[in-house]
Amino acid sequence: MDGRVTISGLEKVYGQGAERTKAIEDLNFEVDGGEFVSVVGPSGCGKSTLLYLIAGFLDATEGTISVDGDPINGPGTDRGVVFQDYALFPWRTVYENVTYGLEEDGVPKDERQNIAQKYIDMVDLDGFEDKYPKELSGGMKQRVGIARTLAYEPKILLMDEPFGALDQPLRESLQDQLLDIWSDLGKTALFITHDVEEAVYLSERVLIMTRHPGTKKTVAEIDLDRSGSREEIVTSDDFAHFKNDVWKSLHEETQTEVTL
Amino acid sequence: MLPTPVQGVVNTIVDWIPLGIVVLVWELVSGGIVATDVLPAPATVGAEIVGLFVSGEVFSHLFISLFRVGVGLGLSILVGVLLGVGMARSDPVENFFDIFLSMTYPIPKTALVPLAILWLGVGTKTAILIVFLACLLPIVLNANNAAENVDQNLVWAAQMMGTDERSILYKIVFPATIPEIMTGVRQAVPIAFIALVSAELIASNAGMGYLILTSGQIGNYPTMFANIVIISAVAFVAVRAFEEARGRLLVWT
Amino acid sequence: MDVTADASRGLDLSRLVEFGKSVYSLVILLVLWEVVGQLGLIHYYFLPPLSDILIRFAELTLSGEMLFNAYLTLQRALIGLAIASVLGVIVGVLSARNDIVDWFFDPIIKIGYPVPIISLIPVFMLWFGIGDISKIIMVAVGTFWPVAVNARESTRQVETNLIWSAQMMGTSDRRLLWRVVMPAALPGILTGFQIAMPLSLIITFVFEMVAGGGGLGALEIQGVRSFESAQVYAAIIAIMLIGIGLDRILRFVRGRLLHWT
Ligand SMILES: Nc1ncnc2c1ncn2[C@@H]1O[C@H](COP(=O)(O)OP(=O)(O)O)[C@@H](O)[C@H]1O
Ligand SMILES: [Mg+2]
């Protein structure tokens, strides 16, 4: 399947001189096409940096990132980002935010309308097309953020703690919506979170990063039976077991940080 | 790579090259394309500034201007803070003054100079009044806004610890509003100088504005330019000094 | 039915009381002004009765003198402001987006912004005379700074995430300016205009007072010189109306353009 991300020898250094910070060091990792991978790690370990490097917003200091074998060169419409703070255009309505990428692509108006409506319905926002972002709650804004990114049909979804600012019930419902969308559309998903349960619940694999400067610590394979309901999954022994594994691994990193 | 201090100096020089270019163009244009009468060269103006200070000619006018701006601004801070905080804490005060503020708010205060001449004649009183009026609104608005938005939790915390109703005002409300009052004053300082020079151009027999106007009228252009540079420098220093003072005063913000 | 009617009447009454509370002080002042004037407690020259001032205002308006002078003032202020707005936004936005432009303009803005711009009036009289052109250029030069500074700051503060969002959806660097940067910076740019507008009037009035050539400033100062104090007050009323009017227009435009904020 398309949408394979290959990261090799990645290093990112911010600033120079006294302000020089190495955020990411020698990271090698591959996300398969259509795979759902979460990234967890101590705060400040370079998770966002990694995501924005893949998005092409930042340039790597060393190493390469390739999509389906081609090294990336800046942002491209094959990748779509969902930001933690939504980053919607406040001067555009929900509908206009969702059609933005299609406008840039030169899609004709009636086609834009169809596509936008499809994704607005998909995230349960029909009826809110003409609202401005300021009129929406956080959860609704993030659903617009997701619809906007889906609408121009990138192969790869990059999400930086997209539900981090939302309360628990809302997170859970958005997680389920996201999983539905992901299995319907078959996209590659890279999902950053600091919530171990969220990572285990959503992903096929979890990349655990070391503390600053960040690199790959381990990768946990989450081999869960996801056929049941949320309650069945979350209360299963397997789930507890995977959660424990990831938590322990992550805890070692935060421990070293505290004792230092 | 260069060591940091050297790098800093180099950066500063590079930063100010454009201004050097402007001065250079001015120097070249003056006496070339444009007559020195109309645009005295920077060197001439520089020499004139030195001359004005050496002869002491400028001091009396500068002191008069500083006095006017200082008193006007000082009064506006005093009245502005009292009014702003008073309007926030008391409805009758607000009801009484609010209409005057909203009616005078859109009047450019320098349009009141002729009225000030009617009442106070030409001179210091008029200049002080105009500076006072021009600076009053930004200070009132900021003080009022701050006093209305004092964090209620602070007030409750103080009450919980036994502060009585009257002490709340000067123990909590005033300190909490100081940063925004400072913001108001910061906005007012440049306005004060505009008001000052306006009043002195129109209604004064002394002061920097008067000096600029009269040296222009008698065709003494180097003096005119020199005095403009001096009053601009004073305004610049006033803003910088205020910001410095604010930084020291508000260490807790 | 009765209940709702009652409720709305009650509401109207309390609104009326609120309104009364908010204007009573002005009414008292105006009445006092008239009484003091009529009784001659303050010399006519200082404070003519309000009615005399309003009559003078009406006379000047009906004769067309007031309107003509208002037209002169507004024309000078607004043309100057328009020029400054265009140049200020261009310079401000470009220097926020381009390091070389910023390198050039930053020190000039640092030095130019604090200059009490009014002090340059004699210079402009020397360079461009005392006519309309001179006044317009003076207004343009004076109001350029707040427009440029606000445009620059608000452009700098455009969130990186918004720019990244547009880039990921395929916006080229060239189109970024119109698609994202300008709309995102618009609130700050409009704030610049709102600061510059009263400044344009200030500069125009003072220039007119110093150099003549008609306009409301000249009308005022002429009133002082001819001991016609009612004319001074009448001109100030006109100035107040213009100030309020322009302020309202700008607020309205702002509300319209920024209904999404
Ligand atoms: N723009 C930047 N300039 C300098 N340092 C940065 C910048 N962005 C992030 N950093 C540093 O890089 C490290 C990783 O940051 P980030 O990727 O945001 O971590 P995370 O998302 O895992 O919390 C941190 O130490 C942070 O301080
Ligand atoms: Mg982060």
Side-chain angles (χ1 to χ4, degrees):
Chain A
M1 193 187 278
D2 271 1
R4 189 177 79 248
V5 181
T6 314
I7 300 160
S8 53
L10 188 68
E11 177 175 305
K12 176 65 186 176
V13 177
Y14 285 111
Q16 17 172 280
E19 288 171 11
R20 192 185 139 94
T21 335
K22 189 182 273 185
I24 291 185
E25 188 170 44
D26 191 32
L27 181 74
N28 296 287
F29 190 63
E30 181 161 275
V31 187
D32 267 343
E35 196 185 9
F36 200 123
V37 173
S38 286
V39 182
V40 297
S43 148
C45 76
K47 302 184 293 293
S48 299
T49 303
L50 172 63
L51 193 95
Y52 295 147
L53 284 165
I54 300 173
F57 301 148
L58 304 174
D59 291 326
T61 311
E62 292 287 340
T64 52
I65 297 170
S66 313
V67 171
D68 296 327
D70 300 323
I72 61 159
N73 176 23
T77 51
D78 53 344
R79 287 149 285 151
V81 177
V82 177
F83 295 87
Q84 176 169 9
D85 61 359
Y86 327 122
L88 303 177
F89 300 129
W91 58 90
R92 288 180 155 245
T93 61
V94 168
Y95 177 79
E96 290 165 345
N97 266 285
V98 176
T99 54
Y100 183 93
L102 302 167
E103 284 172 27
E104 296 303 81
D105 197 24
V107 176
K109 195 166 180 218
D110 41 343
E111 214 175 311
R112 286 208 298 263
Q113 172 125 32
N114 290 335
I115 299 174
Q117 202 58 53
K118 172 177 148 196
Y119 289 104
I120 287 172
D121 292 348
M122 194 180 283
V123 296
D124 282 340
L125 278 175
D126 40 324
F128 291 92
E129 288 85 352
D130 296 328
K131 299 275 186 228
Y132 284 92
K134 67 156 180 188
E135 301 169 282
L136 306 178
S137 67
M140 290 160 93
K141 282 185 199 159
Q142 197 53 294
R143 298 209 300 258
V144 179
I146 293 170
R148 159 180 95 163
T149 301
L150 293 174
Y152 69 94
E153 305 192 326
K155 289 183 287 190
I156 299 159
L157 286 182
L158 305 166
M159 293 168 274
D160 188 5
E161 306 197 26
F163 310 143
L166 310 175
D167 61 34
Q168 187 64 21
L170 200 55
R171 291 174 76 121
E172 289 181 359
S173 105
L174 285 176
Q175 284 163 6
D176 288 329
Q177 275 186 25
L178 178 63
L179 276 183
D180 287 347
I181 291 170
W182 170 72
S183 53
D184 283 356
L185 301 179
K187 294 191 187 296
T188 308
L190 193 71
F191 188 99
I192 290 177
T193 177
H194 56 253
D195 178 345
V196 172
E197 178 158 332
E198 186 171 63
V200 171
Y201 184 72
L202 289 174
S203 22
E204 298 169 297
R205 287 194 295 155
V206 177
L207 166 65
I208 299 143
M209 288 177 68
T210 62
R211 59 183 192 85
H212 184 79
T215 189
K216 178 171 74 187
K217 179 183 164 74
T218 48
V219 179
E221 303 270 347
I222 312 296
D223 199 5
L224 265 181
D225 172 16
R226 292 170 204 275
S227 54
S229 70
R230 178 180 199 102
E231 193 183 343
E232 282 161 2
I233 298 172
V234 172
T235 52
S236 70
D237 289 344
D238 274 356
F239 188 82
H241 161 74
F242 288 124
K243 216 177 111 178
N244 250 336
D245 276 0
V246 175
W247 186 86
K248 272 187 195 138
S249 184
L250 183 62
H251 192 63
E252 282 168 19
E253 287 306 309
T254 40
Q255 274 301 93
T256 28
E257 188 173 43
V258 173
T259 49
L260 255 176
Chain B
M1 199 194 259
L2 290 166
T4 330
V6 178
Q7 184 70 41
V9 173
V10 170
N11 284 347
T12 316
I13 293 172
V14 170
D15 283 352
W16 291 96
I17 286 177
L19 211 66
I21 297 176
V22 172
V23 173
L24 200 72
V25 171
W26 175 5
E27 182 80 46
L28 292 178
V29 164
S30 165
I33 311 170
V34 182
T36 45
D37 270 5
V38 175
L39 186 68
T44 319
V45 175
E48 181 64 24
I49 294 173
V50 175
L52 282 169
F53 277 103
V54 170
S55 71
E57 213 182 313
V58 75
F59 286 114
S60 62
H61 291 286
L62 192 55
F63 286 147
I64 287 172
S65 287
L66 285 176
F67 175 75
R68 290 166 173 176
V69 94
V71 174
L73 187 59
L75 281 176
S76 71
I77 294 172
L78 194 70
V79 177
V81 170
L82 287 177
L83 208 56
V85 175
M87 284 173 60
R89 308 304 292 182
S90 143
D91 281 345
V93 176
E94 170 152 28
N95 285 334
F96 190 87
F97 286 106
D98 200 31
I99 183 92
F100 296 123
L101 291 181
S102 43
M103 296 218 36
T104 49
Y105 167 72
I107 304 180
K109 301 302 169 295
T110 51
L112 298 177
V113 174
L115 195 62
I117 303 177
L118 286 186
W119 281 81
L120 303 171
V122 162
T124 293
K125 283 187 231 155
T126 285
I128 289 177
L129 179 67
I130 297 302
V131 172
F132 167 76
L133 288 174
C135 296
L136 189 60
L137 270 166
I139 296 169
V140 172
L141 292 181
N142 279 283
N144 183 252
N145 191 33
E148 279 191 346
N149 295 317
V150 170
D151 186 354
Q152 187 60 42
N153 287 341
L154 291 182
V155 175
W156 282 334
Q159 283 170 339
M160 175 188 86
M161 292 183 273
T163 313
D164 65 57
E165 205 54 49
R166 285 182 50 220
S167 315
I168 292 275
L169 195 64
Y170 67 91
K171 279 197 169 158
I172 306 294
V173 176
F174 273 115
T177 51
I178 283 176
E180 275 190 67
I181 291 171
M182 293 291 202
T183 306
V185 178
R186 170 66 185 79
Q187 290 167 5
V189 173
I191 298 176
F193 280 91
I194 289 180
L196 169 83
V197 177
S198 301
E200 289 182 345
L201 286 177
I202 305 162
S204 181
N205 297 320
M208 297 302 288
Y210 167 80
L211 203 56
I212 291 165
L213 186 68
T214 47
S215 32
Q217 281 165 346
I218 59 172
N220 190 353
Y221 300 124
T223 312
M224 176 175 82
F225 282 96
N227 282 309
I228 291 171
V229 173
I230 294 172
I231 190 70
S232 301
V234 169
F236 183 77
V237 169
V239 169
R240 274 302 157 89
F242 177 78
E243 280 179 349
E244 184 70 19
R246 172 170 67 172
R248 301 230 173 137
L249 217 68
L250 298 183
V251 277
W252 45 274
T253 56
Chain C
M1 280 297 254
D2 280 345
V3 178
T4 48
D6 251 27
S8 74
R9 200 181 304 140
L11 198 71
D12 278 346
L13 197 68
S14 73
R15 270 209 201 137
L16 208 65
V17 171
E18 276 308 304
F19 179 71
K21 271 187 189 168
S22 66
V23 298
Y24 81 96
S25 52
L26 181 69
V27 174
I28 291 177
L29 184 90
L30 295 179
V31 170
L32 218 71
W33 183 345
E34 181 66 23
V35 171
V36 164
Q38 291 294 351
L39 295 179
L41 297 177
I42 294 179
H43 194 286
Y44 187 90
Y45 175 71
F46 294 128
L47 192 73
L50 190 58
S51 51
D52 279 24
I53 292 166
L54 292 177
I55 289 168
R56 186 85 188 103
F57 181 80
E59 281 171 7
L60 285 166
T61 308
L62 290 177
S63 73
E65 205 178 338
M66 188 69 91
L67 290 179
F68 181 63
N69 284 303
Y71 161 76
L72 287 178
T73 297
L74 272 176
Q75 173 193 286
R76 293 159 182 162
L78 295 183
I79 295 178
L81 183 60
I83 296 170
S85 300
V86 173
L87 294 180
V89 169
I90 292 175
V91 167
V93 171
L94 283 185
S95 60
R97 299 286 300 165
N98 183 297
D99 286 346
I100 297 174
V101 178
D102 193 44
W103 168 77
F104 187 77
F105 280 106
D106 183 62
I108 293 175
I109 289 176
K110 273 202 188 106
I111 293 292
Y113 196 26
V115 171
I117 208 73
I118 292 285
S119 67
L120 291 176
I121 286 178
V123 175
F124 279 70
M125 287 164 64
L126 167 66
W127 285 352
F128 306 110
I130 57 172
D132 281 348
I133 298 292
S134 186
K135 286 165 186 154
I136 289 170
I137 299 175
M138 176 81 234
V139 171
V141 170
T143 53
F144 169 82
W145 309 100
V147 174
V149 167
N150 278 278
R152 187 175 67 161
E153 287 316 302
S154 54
T155 307
R156 276 185 185 160
Q157 284 163 14
V158 173
E159 280 177 57
T160 318
N161 277 352
L162 291 185
I163 291 175
W164 282 352
S165 297
Q167 285 178 331
M168 81 180 184
M169 292 190 274
T171 305
S172 67
D173 285 352
R174 268 188 45 225
R175 282 160 52 83
L176 210 50
L177 191 68
W178 293 108
R179 294 285 273 173
V180 181
V181 175
M182 291 297 278
L186 189 61
I189 291 174
L190 291 180
T191 303
F193 293 167
Q194 284 175 301
I195 295 170
M197 190 275 290
L199 188 58
S200 74
L201 290 177
I202 287 176
I203 294 170
T204 313
F205 291 140
V206 176
F207 208 142
E208 287 168 352
M209 288 181 204
V210 174
L216 292 172
L219 189 70
E220 270 189 89
I221 217 71
Q222 180 200 324
V224 173
R225 296 211 178 107
S226 55
F227 303 101
E228 277 250 34
S229 46
Q231 178 174 321
V232 178
Y233 283 94
I236 287 175
I237 292 178
I239 287 168
M240 191 164 88
L241 294 177
I242 287 177
I244 293 176
L246 288 181
D247 187 61
R248 284 288 149 80
I249 291 172
L250 273 186
R251 278 169 201 261
F252 174 78
V253 170
R254 188 185 179 95
R256 266 302 167 89
L257 289 177
L258 301 184
H259 58 103
W260 45 271
T261 55

